[in-house]
Amino acid sequence: MTEQWDQDALRARFCHALSEMYKSEVPLYGNLIDVVWEADAKAIQSSQSSESKHVIDPDDILPSRHRVERHGAIRLGTSQELSTIRRMFAVMGMYPVGYYDLSLAGFPMHATAFRPKTHDALAEHPFRVFTTVLRMDLLTERTRELAQQALKRRNIFTPRLLSLLELVDAKGSLSSAECSEFIANGLETFRWHSKATVSLEEYQMLKAEHPLIADVVSFPSSHINHLTPRTIDIDLVQQLMVDRGMPAKERIEGPPKRECPILLRQTSFKALEETVYFRDTSDYVKGSHTARFGEVEQRGYALTRKGRQLYDQILDRVNAEAAKNQIKGNDYELLLEDRFKEFPDTLPALREQNLAYFCYRLTPMGEKLSEDSDDVSKLGNSSVSLQELLDNGVLSYEPITYEDFLPLSAGGIFNSNLGNVSQSKQLIMSAEPDLDGFQRSLGCLISDEFHLYAEMQANSLEYCRGELGLRAIQL
């Protein structure tokens, strides 16, 4: 297929339009954006140890992707919805990466993240959508029948959006006007609707089994349930939310604060109770629903499989110890911080122990070496160790940003926004993951995130090898 539109630009435009729509639907999300900007400005001011009272604009300091960066989250009900959303996101250069088994957190759902896959596309605009799908096999028979009936009554995609997807499949192109139509119609898939497609009695039955089932099944769209800006200091954002009286979550999900941040830390303001009108025999009955909130994330370094295994082992031990001794709140945070001292917290240690992924670049010395034919000839068509190139100042490295998600952290965020516990939690938590079933519904294979990070690292080394004229760089 020959692409005749700029996928990066379309993705950026769609993300901006979605953010503006969500800001109008959930005004507190707009306040959250302001809090993140203030926290970033204060963090930069503090890091520069400046005595100046002049407010630093973080947009002048941080990478261009930082301010526009968002991830959203949606919840789908059927295989048809999942396969169609895959086609929709592909138009914007977003592809399924990673499989998340949310039954581990007690949710009858599994998920993937649609996002750009290449270093360049992520640098242009790293919009991601965490997309969960209801697992009908984890519902009780009565709830399953009700859910299936309700989902048959809706189509979350406009006819024009579907025709545009057919156009892309047939022609492999979209005009400028069609791109604008794509954005306008695509937004309708994620727009909030206050009129439910089920009765109040049906809603209450769905909610009794699990509140997320009610959220997935009861509405005519897959409304965005949160949008997430990125910050460089999530602890400061958390404090500012509390100071401003926002209904902040009690704790930050993910690893503790570190010198070298790893993976992902997340917090949120709690979901708002919103008026909803439920179907009745002749009209609508007024009720309420709680689902939509605002989240904040601080992204750290992508870990290798070895690093992730160490992370999971430490976290499992912390949670087991906390459960055994009924440790909660601030005491849990202190326990987490103490036990994670086991995880190396310097860049050299993370690299040398193969715990994180890195991009390698030529230093100014390396660039001079690559440009000077005499110097290059001294290297010869040889094989040189990576450590030697680093020790001699020819190469430098920087950690690769973690672009994905943590299922238990997502579960912690979701749980903080739920009003009651699932009736079938034990059934759900004893379930096996279903990657094959998810991929069949999706209509394609899911990319492995570890492979993508390893590929980025390998590509950076290959570029350096070519510039230096080396036969190989030994790891």
Side-chain angles (χ1 to χ4, degrees), residues 235-291:
D235 298 275
L236 184 51
V237 171
Q238 177 85 351
Q239 186 58 53
L240 289 176
M241 282 200 295
V242 172
D243 291 347
R244 280 151 183 71
M246 297 174 74
K249 187 179 180 300
E250 288 79 8
R251 67 175 296 266
I252 296 169
E253 297 290 340
K257 186 174 182 178
R258 295 163 40 91
E259 290 297 318
C260 294
I262 56 174
L263 297 173
L264 180 67
R265 303 182 73 209
Q266 297 171 290
T267 189
S268 72
F269 65 73
K270 294 182 180 180
L272 310 177
E273 186 172 354
E274 302 179 81
T275 298
V276 172
Y277 297 90
F278 294 95
R279 294 174 58 205
D280 199 2
T281 51
S282 59
D283 201 355
Y284 284 88
V285 175
K286 187 176 180 179
S288 65
H289 178 67
T290 303

Side-chain angles (χ1 to χ4, degrees), residues 353-418:
Q353 296 181 41
N354 189 32
L355 297 174
Y357 291 105
F358 294 88
C359 268
Y360 293 88
R361 291 186 171 86
L362 297 176
T363 63
M365 179 190 297
E367 290 176 354
K368 182 177 182 300
L369 190 66
S370 70
E371 293 166 1
D372 191 316
S373 58
D374 290 335
D375 286 340
V376 170
S377 65
K378 292 175 185 177
L379 291 172
N381 185 23
S382 59
S383 179
V384 180
S385 75
L386 174 58
Q387 192 61 53
E388 183 179 348
L389 293 171
L390 292 170
D391 291 343
N392 291 331
V394 177
L395 296 185
S396 63
Y397 59 90
E398 65 178 19
I400 294 175
T401 298
Y402 185 64
E403 306 285 355
D404 297 289
F405 298 93
L406 301 172
L408 291 182
S409 291
I413 295 284
F414 290 169
N415 269 323
S416 70
N417 290 290
L418 301 179

Side-chain angles (χ1 to χ4, degrees), residues 277-381:
Y277 297 90
F278 294 95
R279 294 174 58 205
D280 199 2
T281 51
S282 59
D283 201 355
Y284 284 88
V285 175
K286 187 176 180 179
S288 65
H289 178 67
T290 303
R292 300 191 298 163
F293 56 96
E295 189 178 74
V296 186
E297 66 184 18
Q298 181 174 351
R299 292 196 168 268
Y301 310 153
L303 300 183
T304 62
R305 293 186 192 277
K306 178 183 177 183
R308 184 58 186 271
Q309 184 178 39
L310 177 58
Y311 171 84
D312 288 340
Q313 287 172 349
I314 296 173
L315 187 61
D316 287 346
R317 290 201 299 268
V318 168
N319 289 337
E321 186 175 349
K324 179 181 179 181
N325 299 313
Q326 298 184 329
I327 299 173
K328 298 179 180 179
N330 188 58
D331 290 337
Y332 177 87
E333 299 302 322
L334 293 174
L335 176 66
L336 189 70
E337 186 175 341
D338 179 69
R339 298 299 185 263
F340 261 91
K341 290 176 181 176
E342 178 185 342
F343 202 110
D345 199 14
T346 67
L347 287 184
L350 291 173
R351 194 192 69 82
E352 291 163 11
Q353 296 181 41
N354 189 32
L355 297 174
Y357 291 105
F358 294 88
C359 268
Y360 293 88
R361 291 186 171 86
L362 297 176
T363 63
M365 179 190 297
E367 290 176 354
K368 182 177 182 300
L369 190 66
S370 70
E371 293 166 1
D372 191 316
S373 58
D374 290 335
D375 286 340
V376 170
S377 65
K378 292 175 185 177
L379 291 172
N381 185 23

